[in-house]
Amino acid sequence: MVLNVAGLFETAMIICFGISWPLSIVRSYRSRSTKGKSLLFMCFIEFGYVCGLISKFITKDFNLAFIFYWPNLIMVATDICLYFRNKQIEKSAENK
């Protein structure tokens, strides 16, 4: 019973974190700017999700939270890619 409750809380945490990423991605895409973004922060978040997944594989605890790690990992990777796109857009604008 304790493990099930712990898994539910972990799932809730991952879902709550995941809700913010689509908003961040849309903002990055529309703004075409890196203002307010931290590449280091996003890389640490991405690393954290990777560590969470590695933990799931080591413990073989493939609960509901395991499923939600994947879209979060993809969304943060998308935001990181948009960061580099926006950095290039800013650099091109500077050179004009």
Side-chain angles (χ1 to χ4, degrees), residues 9-60:
F9 279 110
E10 180 185 19
T11 301
M13 175 200 66
I14 296 296
I15 290 171
C16 288
F17 288 164
I19 289 170
S20 64
W21 290 112
L23 302 172
S24 181
I25 290 167
V26 168
R27 182 179 170 270
S28 292
Y29 182 78
R30 288 182 180 166
S31 72
R32 302 170 67 93
S33 170
T34 60
K35 288 183 182 173
K37 294 288 185 173
S38 168
L39 180 59
L40 185 61
F41 173 78
M42 290 187 291
C43 287
F44 274 120
I45 296 295
E46 189 79 343
F47 180 69
Y49 286 139
V50 169
C51 288
L53 282 168
I54 290 170
S55 169
K56 294 293 183 189
F57 283 110
I58 290 171
T59 63
K60 296 181 181 22

Side-chain angles (χ1 to χ4, degrees), residues 27-39 81-96:
R27 182 179 170 270
S28 292
Y29 182 78
R30 288 182 180 166
S31 72
R32 302 170 67 93
S33 170
T34 60
K35 288 183 182 173
K37 294 288 185 173
S38 168
L39 180 59
C81 290
L82 285 170
Y83 178 90
F84 286 109
R85 179 202 77 153
N86 292 346
K87 196 72 161 168
Q88 189 64 37
I89 290 170
E90 290 171 343
K91 189 179 280 191
S92 295
E94 272 180 19
N95 293 336
K96 286 186 179 182

